[in-house]
Amino acid sequence: MPVDDPLTRLQDATALWSIRQGTAAEVIEAACDCLVAGVDSPSLRILAGVSPSAGSQELIQWLEPTLDELGLTYFPEGGQEGEDAAVRVMATRLLADALSARELARWAHSVIGHDGTPLAEELVMLDDVYDTLEYGEETEADIDARVLAEARHLTAGHH
C-alpha cells in the first residue's frame, strides 16, 4: 500500500522488518525512495546501496545510524517497540482500505499472538471472535466495526 511520505514508508518498512514481517529489500527500496524524494543523509546513501541478499548484520549496521540521522526510530529485532509499531502500520493499512478488518485481526493473531505486545491484544481477541461467529450474538459486520474502531484507536495520534 503506497504511503505518500517517503520517511513514513521507511519507518513502516523498518518496523515490519524488525518483527520479520518485512524484507531487507523493502527497507532498501524505502531508503531509495527517500533519496529519490530528496531526503538525504550519509548513512541513507549507504543503506540504499546495501544488497538485499547481504546478511541482516550489514543492514543493521547502516539502519540504526540512518534512522538516527533522519530522526526516525530504530526498532531492535524482535522487540516490543517494533511489535507496537508494526501493529500501528497494519492498522493504518486497514484504515487506508489496503486490507480488511478480518485480515488485520488474523495478522495480529498469527504474527503477534496472545503472548505478544499488549497493544495487539484486542485485535488478537477479535480474531478469536471471528472464528466463533456461529456461536455468538454478533454478526461479522459487528466484529468488522469493532476491529475498525480498534484500528482508529491504535492510530490516533500516530503517523
Side-chain angles (χ1 to χ4, degrees):
M1 141 189 155
V3 173
D4 289 338
D5 178 46
L7 288 173
T8 300
R9 281 197 308 272
L10 179 59
Q11 186 71 85
D12 291 356
T14 61
L16 291 169
W17 175 82
S18 78
I19 65 162
R20 294 181 171 83
Q21 289 298 298
T23 65
E26 290 165 337
V27 172
I28 293 162
E29 181 180 346
C32 291
D33 289 346
C34 284
L35 290 173
V36 168
V39 176
D40 196 9
S41 83
S43 293
L44 178 63
R45 286 182 230 140
I46 296 169
L47 179 64
V50 170
S51 170
S53 62
S56 66
Q57 279 312 113
E58 186 175 353
L59 185 67
I60 292 169
Q61 175 185 354
W62 297 108
L63 189 56
E64 193 167 3
T66 298
L67 296 176
D68 187 53
E69 288 172 2
L70 298 175
L72 300 176
T73 303
Y74 172 75
F75 302 108
E77 287 183 88
Q80 182 178 330
E81 299 85 7
E83 283 187 355
D84 288 350
V87 168
R88 287 187 176 105
V89 167
M90 297 303 287
T92 300
R93 290 180 179 179
L94 167 65
L95 298 175
D97 290 327
L99 74 160
S100 70
R102 181 68 174 107
E103 289 168 328
L104 174 59
R106 184 178 297 126
W107 176 89
H109 199 173
S110 66
V111 173
I112 306 297
H114 289 282
D115 297 325
T117 178
L119 198 66
E121 192 172 334
E122 181 71 10
L123 293 173
V124 171
M125 186 275 306
L126 287 168
D127 184 54
D128 289 334
V129 175
Y130 277 115
D131 292 340
T132 59
L133 269 175
E134 67 263 20
Y135 306 110
E137 300 285 320
E138 293 180 288
T139 66
E140 187 169 350
D142 294 334
I143 308 307
D144 288 351
R146 289 174 62 190
V147 171
L148 186 59
E150 182 63 12
R152 287 186 181 121
H153 170 75
L154 290 169
T155 59
H158 288 84
H159 277 274

